[in-house]
Amino acid sequence: MTKGDWEAVIGLEVHAQVSSKTKLFSSSSTEFGAEHNTQVSLVDAAMPGTLPILNYYSIEQTIRTGLALSAEINKSSYFDRKNYFYPDLPQGYQITQFFEPIVKNGRIFINNNEKEIRIARIHLEQDAGKSVHEESKTYVDLNRAGVALMEIVSEPDLRSPEEAAEFMKKLRQILRYIGSCDGDMEKGSLRCDVNVSVRPKGSSTFGTRCEIKNLNSICYIVQAIDYEIQRQIEILESGEKISQDTLLFDVSLGKTKVVRNKEDASDYRYFPEPDLLPVEISQDEIDSIRSSLPELPDQKKLRYIRELSINKYDADVITSDKAIANYFEELIKKHDSKLAVTWLTVELFGHLNKAGIDIVSSPVKANALSELLDFIVDGTISAKLGKQVLDIMFETGKPASLIIKEQDLKQITDKGQISEIIDKIINDNQDKVQEYKNGKTKLYGFFVGEVMKFTKGKASPDVVNLVLSEKLSS
Ligand code: ADP
Ligand code: MG
C-alpha cells in the first residue's frame, strides 16, 4: 500500500489555562513570568492539614466555554484524585474530574463550518509544577502548581494535520472571544496532546493510537502529526503492529520519540476527592452565564455578511480576532461599512504588517482612524491625502486634525480659487489645449495632474473636474 491508501484519525486533548487571577484551589497569583516559587501557598505546596477551596470563577469560565461550544452543562459534577508520583506534584495526586466532568458533548465547526468536530468533554483540573533542569541539577518550581486548566477533549473526528490546525485555531478564537483563556500558546496557556492512528482508507474501525504529549504551537502540532502518520504507515507497511505509546515531539529533529509504553501505563487509582464538595449548578446560574456570553465569531461573521453586506473573505478577516472586530465596530459607529473595511483591512493592516505588530499595539487607535475618516467623508481632505495623513499618524501617533493643520493639508474646495488656478494652467499650455480640442482627449489627465501639482494634491478632485471640463469644452 502507498500513503494514499491510508487515512489518519486524530483526536486532541487540549489544556487551556483559565484566565483566572488566582489558582483553582488557592488564592495564589497565576501571573506569568514571576520568580521561581514566589506564587506558592501552603495549599499549592500540599502542606499537611491544608484544604483546597474551590475558585468559583474557574467553574463559571468552564461553563461559559461549554456553552460557547454548544455543549451540555453537567449540573452535578465532582472532583477526583488522580494518584501518581512526580517531583513537581507535591500532593502525590492531581485533583481533576474523571467520572463526571462539568461539560459534555459539545462541538466545533471547521472547514468553513462544513465539518463538525465533536467535543467529548471539558473537565477542570489543576496544573502541576515544573522541573527546571540546570546542568547536573534539577529544581522544582511550584508557581504553576494548582493553576486551573480546562481539559477540552475532542472525539477522534479529525482526519489530517491541517484539520487539527484548523480545530486549534477555531478553539483559540472562541476562547479569546469569550475570555475564558487568553489562548497564548507561547506562554503555555494553551497546549495540546495529540492522539494519532492510521487505518486503511474505507475501514470503519480505528487503528491503535499513539499520543504525542504537550505541543505548544500550531506549527509543531502539524509537524508532529505529519511525522507520526508517516512513521505509523511505515511500521504497518512493513507488516508490524503499532504499539500504543506515549511520545514526545523533538522540535529540533522534527521527530517523535517514545517516552513510555502502554504496558507501563500507570494505574491512577481514581477516586472522588474527599476534601471537596460536589459542584452543583442550578439552571438559573447556567442561564445567567449564558446571557453573559458575547456574540461568537461565527454569529458575528454571519451578521457582517447579512446585515452589512461585507463579503465572506473580509468578514472572515475581521472576525478572526476579537480585537479586530472591536476596532471595526468602533469605525462603523460613524462610518459606512465599506469605507471602514477598506481603511481597516487595506490601509491600517498594510502599516501593521510592515511594522510587524498586531492591532492591539497599533499606534493608531480606532477612534483616531474614525476621526481621519470624518475628514475624508466631509471633504476636508481627499482620500489620497488621507493615506498620507495615516502614514504620519502611524509614525508619530498624532491625531489627524493636528497633522492636517500643521501640514496645511486642508482640501481646496473653493470654486473661484480653483478656477483661477485652471485659467493659469490653460494659459501656460495653449498648445496642449489646442491638441485636446483637436481630439486628443487623453490630455485631460495632464490638466488634472497640473492642478494637483500646483495645489500639492489639495484641490478637491470633484471641483477640479467640474471646472476643468467646463473650461476645456468652451
Ligand atoms: P485516554 O483518556 O486514555 O487518553 P480517551 O478515550 O479519553 O483516552 O481518548 C483520548 C483522546 O484520544 C481523545 O481526544 C480521542 O478523540 C482520541 N482517540 C481515541 N481513540 C483514538 C484513535 N484510535 N485514534 C486517534 N485518536 C483517538
Ligand atoms: Mg490521554
Side-chain angles (χ1 to χ4, degrees):
M1 277 200 238
T2 62
K3 191 175 178 186
D5 299 315
W6 297 93
E7 177 180 61
V9 171
I10 302 156
L12 306 184
E13 295 165 272
V14 180
H15 287 99
Q17 180 177 334
V18 178
S19 59
S20 166
K21 291 201 169 77
T22 58
K23 295 185 181 178
L24 185 52
F25 300 118
S26 80
S27 58
S28 307
S29 166
T30 58
E31 185 84 35
F32 179 80
E35 268 298 299
H36 297 312
N37 293 313
T38 53
Q39 297 176 164
V40 187
S41 72
L42 296 174
V43 174
D44 310 324
M47 287 297 152
T50 59
L51 288 172
I53 295 172
L54 181 59
N55 166 349
Y56 182 73
Y57 181 80
S58 296
I59 296 280
E60 216 173 41
Q61 294 310 309
T62 307
I63 294 174
R64 293 183 91 217
T65 306
L67 293 173
L69 301 181
S70 317
E72 291 163 27
I73 307 306
N74 195 347
K75 287 188 180 146
S76 123
S77 68
Y78 58 87
F79 286 92
D80 303 294
R81 282 190 185 181
K82 178 182 184 180
N83 300 280
Y84 67 98
F85 172 80
Y86 205 75
D88 64 16
L89 187 77
Q91 281 170 163
Y93 56 85
Q94 178 193 30
I95 305 181
T96 179
Q97 296 189 300
F98 182 70
F99 299 105
E100 284 294 341
I102 186 162
V103 172
K104 291 190 280 200
N105 301 328
R107 59 194 57 90
I108 282 185
F109 291 91
I110 61 166
N111 298 355
N112 266 324
N113 288 351
E114 277 160 19
K115 180 159 180 178
E116 177 184 311
I117 306 300
R118 292 166 300 154
I119 305 288
R121 56 192 277 149
I122 307 178
H123 63 253
L124 258 175
E125 62 185 28
Q126 28 170 214
D127 204 352
K130 209 167 120 185
S131 299
V132 184
H133 307 285
E134 255 173 42
E135 288 170 22
S136 62
K137 288 184 178 152
T138 294
Y139 301 89
V140 172
D141 177 8
L142 294 181
N143 280 356
R144 288 197 71 91
V147 164
L149 302 179
M150 295 181 278
E151 180 167 332
I152 304 166
V153 182
S154 89
E155 295 289 356
D157 291 344
L158 299 157
R159 293 292 175 268
S160 68
E162 292 71 32
E163 284 191 1
E166 263 231 45
F167 175 89
M168 282 303 285
K169 285 185 196 158
K170 192 70 182 278
L171 175 61
R172 181 174 60 185
Q173 181 191 34
I174 294 171
L175 294 172
R176 285 183 171 160
Y177 260 72
I178 63 174
S180 62
C181 165
D182 66 24
D184 198 334
M185 298 188 86
E186 272 162 34
K187 291 182 184 158
S189 325
L190 194 62
R191 296 168 273 163
C192 121
D193 302 341
V194 178
N195 295 270
V196 182
S197 64
V198 297
R199 62 181 176 185
K201 247 195 187 136
S203 159
S204 58
T205 52
F206 289 147
T208 306
R209 71 181 148 115
C210 287
E211 179 172 357
I212 313 161
K213 283 284 184 194
N214 218 15
L215 295 162
N216 64 354
S217 94
I218 290 178
C219 179
Y220 295 154
I221 290 172
V222 172
Q223 287 175 16
I225 297 175
D226 255 332
Y227 179 85
E228 184 57 19
I229 292 173
Q230 205 46 50
R231 186 185 76 91
Q232 292 188 14
I233 290 174
E234 274 164 31
I235 292 174
L236 293 171
E237 288 188 348
S238 72
E240 288 176 47
K241 285 198 168 127
I242 305 289
S243 81
Q244 189 174 342
D245 293 329
T246 299
L247 314 169
L248 280 180
F249 181 61
D250 186 320
V251 178
S252 54
L253 297 178
K255 294 178 174 180
T256 55
K257 60 168 198 254
V258 176
V259 285
R260 57 177 183 268
N261 180 269
K262 189 74 176 175
E263 256 88 88
D264 25 84
S266 344
D267 174 4
Y268 293 119
R269 293 178 296 120
Y270 282 102
F271 64 86
E273 166 60 56
D275 288 342
L276 287 165
L277 287 169
V279 183
E280 304 289 345
I281 310 288
S282 69
Q283 188 58 45
D284 280 354
E285 279 170 291
I286 296 174
D287 292 343
S288 109
I289 293 172
R290 192 190 298 277
S291 67
S292 79
L293 280 178
E295 185 179 37
L296 296 170
D298 282 344
Q299 300 168 337
K300 211 185 250 312
K301 192 170 112 185
L302 267 185
R303 179 168 64 86
Y304 285 178
I305 294 171
R306 287 198 186 135
E307 291 175 23
L308 303 176
S309 315
I310 294 177
N311 68 47
K312 204 177 135 304
Y313 177 82
D314 288 332
D316 247 335
V317 170
I318 297 170
T319 56
S320 65
D321 178 352
K322 196 180 182 184
I324 298 174
N326 287 347
Y327 197 110
F328 175 71
E329 285 179 15
E330 183 66 31
L331 294 181
I332 59 169
K333 275 186 191 160
K334 285 174 76 182
H335 297 289
D336 170 63
S337 56
K338 292 241 160 51
L339 184 76
V341 169
T342 309
W343 282 85
L344 174 60
T345 66
V346 182
E347 303 305 334
L348 185 73
F349 278 16
H351 283 288
L352 293 175
N353 289 341
K354 222 159 69 195
I357 54 178
D358 64 18
I359 199 153
V360 181
S361 353
S362 171
V364 180
K365 303 292 177 215
N367 56 354
L369 182 55
S370 185
E371 188 203 35
L372 172 63
L373 297 187
D374 287 343
F375 292 122
I376 294 168
V377 172
D378 73 11
T380 307
I381 56 171
S382 65
K384 201 164 162 224
L385 273 184
K387 290 179 193 176
Q388 288 178 35
V389 174
L390 183 61
D391 290 348
I392 304 171
M393 289 170 74
F394 203 85
E395 237 168 67
T396 64
K398 287 181 184 171
S401 55
L402 185 66
I403 295 165
I404 292 168
K405 204 164 141 209
E406 277 180 357
Q407 314 250 335
D408 189 22
L409 295 176
K410 214 164 163 316
Q411 183 159 259
I412 303 167
T413 50
D414 182 71
K415 205 172 160 190
Q417 195 182 345
I418 289 177
S419 240
E420 265 173 43
I421 295 165
I422 290 178
D423 284 342
K424 183 178 175 314
I425 288 166
I426 284 180
N427 216 13
D428 292 351
N429 295 281
Q430 280 303 326
D431 48 337
K432 296 241 167 47
V433 176
Q434 212 43 55
E435 283 178 57
Y436 178 87
K437 288 189 171 161
N438 291 342
K440 203 170 170 194
T441 49
K442 270 196 300 195
L443 278 171
Y444 187 81
F446 162 80
F447 294 107
V448 175
E450 286 300 295
V451 181
M452 288 306 177
K453 225 192 275 170
F454 191 85
T455 58
K456 299 202 183 82
K458 289 190 292 184
S460 152
D462 290 346
V463 181
V464 171
N465 275 325
L466 190 80
V467 179
L468 191 61
S469 52
E470 232 170 57
K471 299 218 181 233
L472 285 178
S473 61
S474 67

